[in-house]
Amino acid sequence: MKPVILDVDTGLDDACALLLAAQHPDLDLKAVTCVGGNVGLDEVVVNTLTVLEAAGREDVPVARGAALPLLQPVRSAPHVHGVDGLGDIDWPKSTRTPVGAHAVEVLRDNLREAARTGELITLIPLAPMTNIALLLRTYPEAAAGLREIVFMGGAAGIGNATASAEFNIWTDPEAAAIVLSTAGRLGVGVTMYGLDVFYDVPITLDQARSLGGSPSADLARRLIEKRSELYKADAASIGDGGAVCAVIDPSGLTTEPYPLHVELSGSWSRGRTIVDTRDWSGDLTSDPYGPPPPVVQVATAVDGPRYTNLWLNTVQ
């Protein structure tokens, strides 16, 4: 089993990812850490506990993390995830509470233990990377317990929060820049599962309506129905769930290694992930802005049907 930790701002597609990570037999879900993003931190925590309860995984520790980005106010997305973050589907909310430790402490302790035992952890951030930046700034030695970081965020040339920027990176671009630069300096491998592939793992309404018979399958069906309704379509992507699929089955994802900047200023471009596709070293080394940034494995294509089946078979 592959040890993983998810860092989430649980909205509809984070819920799709949680159902998969909590139930797939090849993953050992060590913990889930929460950050403000799609909705406020209180709603994120409740939603995370609710989804894990539906998956039958009340044993997984859930920790509260940062309520706000490093430098700017949190900007939620009720137009995408509903007021409560789960599409206002009136699913019974969990009454459980998170662990007492802060998310950064939970990440630190799990990674220190992983470094000690050699069972390195794959960290899967599906949200603004505020918790991860705080971890790497405060306890950089904990990175010794990381196998890799596979994050949902960014894009090679498109946006959704703005014309330039994807929501998770745009919400806390300073945090993303810290994580990427620190991972590069410490030699931690990073994969970006961005908007270039985000929409390419769809579940049709017919497929969703074939799910049922357990709380997990029922919730999975409701999530896809609500996402389809919001987008006025007869199918919906599992979104963040694709990043978890990529950890389970990496051969279903095509990536290319590119230097990656996060734009921290600009009237129209703040939060944009600038994927540097130049292929001549002379251009890179003579760039007036300095040496190339860390190289990230950027997802460029995905086997959508393969990941669709992986998700459907697991949540059912």
Side-chain angles (χ1 to χ4, degrees):
M1 297 176 72
K2 183 179 292 186
V4 299
I5 295 177
L6 270 60
D7 186 74
V8 299
D9 58 343
T10 302
L12 291 168
D13 55 336
D14 302 73
C16 291
L18 282 165
L19 288 175
L20 176 60
Q23 296 179 98
H24 197 278
D26 291 347
L27 297 185
D28 178 11
L29 184 56
K30 295 290 188 181
V32 179
T33 51
C34 298
V35 64
N38 287 323
V39 285
L41 181 60
D42 288 342
E43 289 81 10
V44 169
V45 171
V46 171
N47 291 347
T48 301
L49 291 165
T50 296
V51 174
L52 288 173
E53 194 170 286
R57 292 300 308 273
E58 292 94 336
D59 59 303
V60 176
V62 172
R64 291 175 61 91
L68 298 173
L70 296 178
L71 295 181
Q72 64 188 30
V74 70
R75 297 160 172 153
S76 60
H79 62 293
V80 177
H81 300 280
V83 174
D84 72 350
L86 286 182
D88 306 313
I89 61 175
D90 199 29
W91 189 269
K93 300 292 187 181
S94 173
T95 58
R96 295 172 57 226
T97 56
V99 299
H102 190 276
V104 172
E105 297 171 318
V106 170
L107 288 163
R108 175 201 64 193
D109 293 347
N110 274 277
L111 291 172
R112 283 178 173 173
E113 179 64 12
R116 186 187 70 80
T117 63
E119 295 183 357
L120 301 184
I121 289 172
T122 295
L123 181 58
I124 311 176
L126 306 175
M129 288 195 273
T130 316
N131 288 335
I132 317 306
L134 292 171
L135 168 77
L136 294 176
R137 274 289 191 262
T138 311
Y139 306 106
E141 76 283 355
L146 283 171
R147 178 182 302 279
E148 60 179 338
I149 297 172
V150 178
F151 75 93
M152 190 282 121
I158 55 175
N160 58 3
T162 71
S164 292
E166 178 276 332
F167 178 84
N168 286 342
I169 306 299
W170 173 77
T171 297
D172 198 342
E174 283 77 18
I178 288 170
V179 171
L180 293 174
S181 63
T182 305
R185 179 169 53 83
L186 297 177
V188 177
V190 178
T191 297
M192 182 176 89
Y193 187 95
L195 293 180
D196 310 286
V197 294
F198 181 88
Y199 300 106
D200 296 339
V201 187
I203 310 295
T204 67
L205 281 173
D206 285 343
Q207 289 172 318
R209 288 166 180 163
S210 72
L211 297 169
S214 70
S216 168
D218 290 341
L219 178 56
R221 183 187 72 251
R222 296 284 297 279
L223 294 172
I224 297 301
E225 288 175 339
K226 174 52 73 169
R227 280 176 64 77
S228 298
E229 176 188 326
L230 287 169
Y231 288 101
K232 297 179 172 58
D234 59 3
S237 166
I238 61 172
D240 291 354
V244 178
C245 290
V247 172
I248 298 168
D249 183 11
S251 58
L253 189 69
T254 301
T255 65
E256 297 289 343
Y258 291 123
L260 183 68
H261 283 288
V262 178
E263 177 58 66
L264 300 180
S265 59
S267 298
W268 309 109
S269 58
R270 177 169 163 81
R272 179 174 181 172
T273 46
I274 300 174
V275 178
D276 194 337
T277 60
R278 292 176 292 180
D279 58 4
W280 183 47
S281 61
D283 285 336
L284 292 169
T285 56
S286 63
D287 192 309
Y289 292 104
V295 172
V296 170
Q297 292 293 328
V298 176
T300 58
V302 64
D303 187 338
R306 181 172 177 164
Y307 281 0
T308 291
N309 289 332
L310 171 59
W311 188 80
L312 287 168
N313 292 335
T314 303
V315 300
Q316 178 60 64

